[in-house]
Amino acid sequence: RSNVIQRVYLREMQWLENDFADSCDFELIGLSCHLPPQRLCWELNRSMGWKLEFSHLLDISQKGGKSSHAVYQFNETGDAGPYAFHVVENKLPEGIIARFQGASALDYLIHLGEGCEQANGLLSSLRSVKGVNYVQILDPLHSGAIEHLALIDLAPLSD
């Protein structure tokens, strides 16, 4: 009986993992940075030519309650239509969004939705931003952040 239950569980987990993989249409970059979020976004805007603005607080359930992570958003329209990317606080005293692949040591996450520049193309520029100590590409499926960030880009784009 336990073998049957285990096989059903593994089959369901595989289905769930495949479902997340199908919906994973974004790339993720982690940053180590000592700056507060508004100052980091100011530096990114200045250095990268972006127009990040505060969007909302992302509430995440944690073992000891909840944590509220600042989300900054940049909307743009390209050849393929409108797109957005986000800078999200990852590590707070109250909790962490991305926990795996070394991401628990990273202070911020950059969520690059469809239509954005690819993560590899941004690494060298991000490394030169004042206050950024370390930059790492993360696998959204294995970072522990997908369930929190997969739907972040479904918010309506505003100009």
Side-chain angles (χ1 to χ4, degrees), residues 118-138:
Q118 290 190 334
N120 284 329
L122 291 173
L123 290 182
S124 64
S125 299
L126 288 170
R127 286 184 177 117
S128 66
V129 172
K130 184 177 180 180
V132 173
N133 304 319
Y134 180 74
V135 180
Q136 174 183 342
I137 293 178
L138 299 169

mmCIF file of all heavy atoms in Angstrom, residues 118-138:
data_model
loop_
_atom_site.group_PDB
_atom_site.id
_atom_site.type_symbol
_atom_site.label_atom_id
_atom_site.label_comp_id
_atom_site.label_asym_id
_atom_site.label_seq_id
_atom_site.Cartn_x
_atom_site.Cartn_y
_atom_site.Cartn_z
ATOM 1 N N GLN A 118 17.729 39.505 -22.116
ATOM 2 C CA GLN A 118 18.084 38.260 -21.444
ATOM 3 C C GLN A 118 19.040 38.522 -20.291
ATOM 4 O O GLN A 118 19.846 39.449 -20.318
ATOM 5 C CB GLN A 118 18.699 37.285 -22.429
ATOM 6 C CG GLN A 118 17.686 36.761 -23.421
ATOM 7 C CD GLN A 118 18.242 35.614 -24.224
ATOM 8 O OE1 GLN A 118 19.446 35.485 -24.413
ATOM 9 N NE2 GLN A 118 17.355 34.749 -24.687
ATOM 10 N N ALA A 119 18.935 37.682 -19.276
ATOM 11 C CA ALA A 119 19.717 37.840 -18.049
ATOM 12 C C ALA A 119 21.219 37.887 -18.325
ATOM 13 O O ALA A 119 21.927 38.722 -17.767
ATOM 14 C CB ALA A 119 19.385 36.719 -17.068
ATOM 15 N N ASN A 120 21.712 37.003 -19.185
ATOM 16 C CA ASN A 120 23.155 36.969 -19.467
ATOM 17 C C ASN A 120 23.666 38.303 -19.990
ATOM 18 O O ASN A 120 24.786 38.694 -19.696
ATOM 19 C CB ASN A 120 23.486 35.872 -20.482
ATOM 20 C CG ASN A 120 23.458 34.498 -19.866
ATOM 21 O OD1 ASN A 120 23.746 34.336 -18.686
ATOM 22 N ND2 ASN A 120 23.087 33.507 -20.650
ATOM 23 N N GLY A 121 22.845 38.997 -20.767
ATOM 24 C CA GLY A 121 23.242 40.266 -21.333
ATOM 25 C C GLY A 121 23.311 41.401 -20.327
ATOM 26 O O GLY A 121 23.904 42.445 -20.600
ATOM 27 N N LEU A 122 22.715 41.210 -19.157
ATOM 28 C CA LEU A 122 22.690 42.267 -18.138
ATOM 29 C C LEU A 122 23.774 42.132 -17.072
ATOM 30 O O LEU A 122 24.052 43.091 -16.351
ATOM 31 C CB LEU A 122 21.326 42.272 -17.437
ATOM 32 C CG LEU A 122 20.137 42.715 -18.264
ATOM 33 C CD1 LEU A 122 18.848 42.497 -17.479
ATOM 34 C CD2 LEU A 122 20.279 44.170 -18.659
ATOM 35 N N LEU A 123 24.378 40.956 -16.950
ATOM 36 C CA LEU A 123 25.269 40.692 -15.815
ATOM 37 C C LEU A 123 26.412 41.690 -15.695
ATOM 38 O O LEU A 123 26.646 42.238 -14.618
ATOM 39 C CB LEU A 123 25.817 39.274 -15.879
ATOM 40 C CG LEU A 123 24.805 38.160 -15.609
ATOM 41 C CD1 LEU A 123 25.502 36.807 -15.649
ATOM 42 C CD2 LEU A 123 24.092 38.362 -14.313
ATOM 43 N N SER A 124 27.135 41.940 -16.758
ATOM 44 C CA SER A 124 28.293 42.832 -16.642
ATOM 45 C C SER A 124 27.871 44.253 -16.305
ATOM 46 O O SER A 124 28.533 44.928 -15.515
ATOM 47 C CB SER A 124 29.143 42.787 -17.914
ATOM 48 O OG SER A 124 28.398 43.272 -19.009
ATOM 49 N N SER A 125 26.759 44.715 -16.867
ATOM 50 C CA SER A 125 26.270 46.057 -16.544
ATOM 51 C C SER A 125 25.830 46.148 -15.089
ATOM 52 O O SER A 125 26.091 47.149 -14.413
ATOM 53 C CB SER A 125 25.100 46.436 -17.451
ATOM 54 O OG SER A 125 25.496 46.455 -18.794
ATOM 55 N N LEU A 126 25.151 45.120 -14.599
ATOM 56 C CA LEU A 126 24.687 45.125 -13.213
ATOM 57 C C LEU A 126 25.856 45.103 -12.233
ATOM 58 O O LEU A 126 25.792 45.720 -11.174
ATOM 59 C CB LEU A 126 23.760 43.934 -12.950
ATOM 60 C CG LEU A 126 22.387 44.017 -13.596
ATOM 61 C CD1 LEU A 126 21.654 42.686 -13.479
ATOM 62 C CD2 LEU A 126 21.561 45.137 -12.971
ATOM 63 N N ARG A 127 26.915 44.396 -12.593
ATOM 64 C CA ARG A 127 28.094 44.327 -11.711
ATOM 65 C C ARG A 127 28.748 45.689 -11.518
ATOM 66 O O ARG A 127 29.421 45.917 -10.523
ATOM 67 C CB ARG A 127 29.104 43.332 -12.268
ATOM 68 C CG ARG A 127 28.678 41.902 -12.090
ATOM 69 C CD ARG A 127 29.741 40.921 -12.564
ATOM 70 N NE ARG A 127 29.288 39.571 -12.302
ATOM 71 C CZ ARG A 127 29.058 38.660 -13.244
ATOM 72 N NH1 ARG A 127 29.273 38.947 -14.513
ATOM 73 N NH2 ARG A 127 28.633 37.460 -12.928
ATOM 74 N N SER A 128 28.553 46.604 -12.469
ATOM 75 C CA SER A 128 29.189 47.919 -12.376
ATOM 76 C C SER A 128 28.311 48.963 -11.675
ATOM 77 O O SER A 128 28.740 50.099 -11.495
ATOM 78 C CB SER A 128 29.567 48.413 -13.776
ATOM 79 O OG SER A 128 28.400 48.643 -14.546
ATOM 80 N N VAL A 129 27.103 48.584 -11.270
ATOM 81 C CA VAL A 129 26.213 49.526 -10.583
ATOM 82 C C VAL A 129 26.720 49.764 -9.162
ATOM 83 O O VAL A 129 27.054 48.818 -8.440
ATOM 84 C CB VAL A 129 24.757 48.989 -10.562
ATOM 85 C CG1 VAL A 129 23.846 49.852 -9.696
ATOM 86 C CG2 VAL A 129 24.214 48.889 -11.980
ATOM 87 N N LYS A 130 26.769 51.031 -8.764
ATOM 88 C CA LYS A 130 27.240 51.402 -7.429
ATOM 89 C C LYS A 130 26.388 50.706 -6.356
ATOM 90 O O LYS A 130 25.166 50.755 -6.406
ATOM 91 C CB LYS A 130 27.150 52.915 -7.257
ATOM 92 C CG LYS A 130 27.698 53.407 -5.955
ATOM 93 C CD LYS A 130 27.636 54.918 -5.872
ATOM 94 C CE LYS A 130 28.189 55.388 -4.543
ATOM 95 N NZ LYS A 130 28.133 56.850 -4.447
ATOM 96 N N GLY A 131 27.060 50.056 -5.420
ATOM 97 C CA GLY A 131 26.377 49.381 -4.321
ATOM 98 C C GLY A 131 26.131 47.902 -4.554
ATOM 99 O O GLY A 131 25.824 47.171 -3.623
ATOM 100 N N VAL A 132 26.234 47.442 -5.789
ATOM 101 C CA VAL A 132 26.010 46.022 -6.100
ATOM 102 C C VAL A 132 27.321 45.276 -5.872
ATOM 103 O O VAL A 132 28.346 45.588 -6.469
ATOM 104 C CB VAL A 132 25.511 45.824 -7.542
ATOM 105 C CG1 VAL A 132 25.449 44.343 -7.901
ATOM 106 C CG2 VAL A 132 24.144 46.469 -7.711
ATOM 107 N N ASN A 133 27.289 44.296 -4.994
ATOM 108 C CA ASN A 133 28.482 43.530 -4.642
ATOM 109 C C ASN A 133 28.630 42.240 -5.425
ATOM 110 O O ASN A 133 29.738 41.779 -5.676
ATOM 111 C CB ASN A 133 28.469 43.193 -3.148
ATOM 112 C CG ASN A 133 28.359 44.420 -2.289
ATOM 113 O OD1 ASN A 133 28.987 45.435 -2.554
ATOM 114 N ND2 ASN A 133 27.530 44.345 -1.265
ATOM 115 N N TYR A 134 27.497 41.626 -5.774
ATOM 116 C CA TYR A 134 27.522 40.302 -6.397
ATOM 117 C C TYR A 134 26.263 40.130 -7.223
ATOM 118 O O TYR A 134 25.183 40.581 -6.834
ATOM 119 C CB TYR A 134 27.603 39.231 -5.304
ATOM 120 C CG TYR A 134 27.627 37.816 -5.811
ATOM 121 C CD1 TYR A 134 28.771 37.286 -6.403
ATOM 122 C CD2 TYR A 134 26.511 37.008 -5.706
ATOM 123 C CE1 TYR A 134 28.799 35.991 -6.878
ATOM 124 C CE2 TYR A 134 26.523 35.701 -6.170
ATOM 125 C CZ TYR A 134 27.675 35.198 -6.757
ATOM 126 O OH TYR A 134 27.698 33.916 -7.226
ATOM 127 N N VAL A 135 26.389 39.470 -8.378
ATOM 128 C CA VAL A 135 25.261 39.211 -9.274
ATOM 129 C C VAL A 135 25.286 37.739 -9.660
ATOM 130 O O VAL A 135 26.347 37.189 -9.958
ATOM 131 C CB VAL A 135 25.359 40.085 -10.550
ATOM 132 C CG1 VAL A 135 24.203 39.814 -11.484
ATOM 133 C CG2 VAL A 135 25.425 41.552 -10.196
ATOM 134 N N GLN A 136 24.115 37.096 -9.661
ATOM 135 C CA GLN A 136 24.029 35.668 -9.976
ATOM 136 C C GLN A 136 22.730 35.377 -10.706
ATOM 137 O O GLN A 136 21.668 35.860 -10.300
ATOM 138 C CB GLN A 136 24.068 34.877 -8.670
ATOM 139 C CG GLN A 136 23.845 33.400 -8.811
ATOM 140 C CD GLN A 136 23.823 32.688 -7.464
ATOM 141 O OE1 GLN A 136 24.280 33.217 -6.455
ATOM 142 N NE2 GLN A 136 23.285 31.484 -7.445
ATOM 143 N N ILE A 137 22.800 34.592 -11.782
ATOM 144 C CA ILE A 137 21.582 34.116 -12.441
ATOM 145 C C ILE A 137 21.046 32.945 -11.636
ATOM 146 O O ILE A 137 21.799 32.064 -11.225
ATOM 147 C CB ILE A 137 21.862 33.695 -13.895
ATOM 148 C CG1 ILE A 137 22.243 34.920 -14.723
ATOM 149 C CG2 ILE A 137 20.644 33.003 -14.496
ATOM 150 C CD1 ILE A 137 22.576 34.612 -16.167
ATOM 151 N N LEU A 138 19.742 32.952 -11.391
ATOM 152 C CA LEU A 138 19.086 31.887 -10.636
ATOM 153 C C LEU A 138 18.099 31.143 -11.536
ATOM 154 O O LEU A 138 17.515 31.738 -12.439
ATOM 155 C CB LEU A 138 18.317 32.476 -9.446
ATOM 156 C CG LEU A 138 19.142 33.238 -8.417
ATOM 157 C CD1 LEU A 138 18.227 33.989 -7.464
ATOM 158 C CD2 LEU A 138 20.046 32.288 -7.660
#
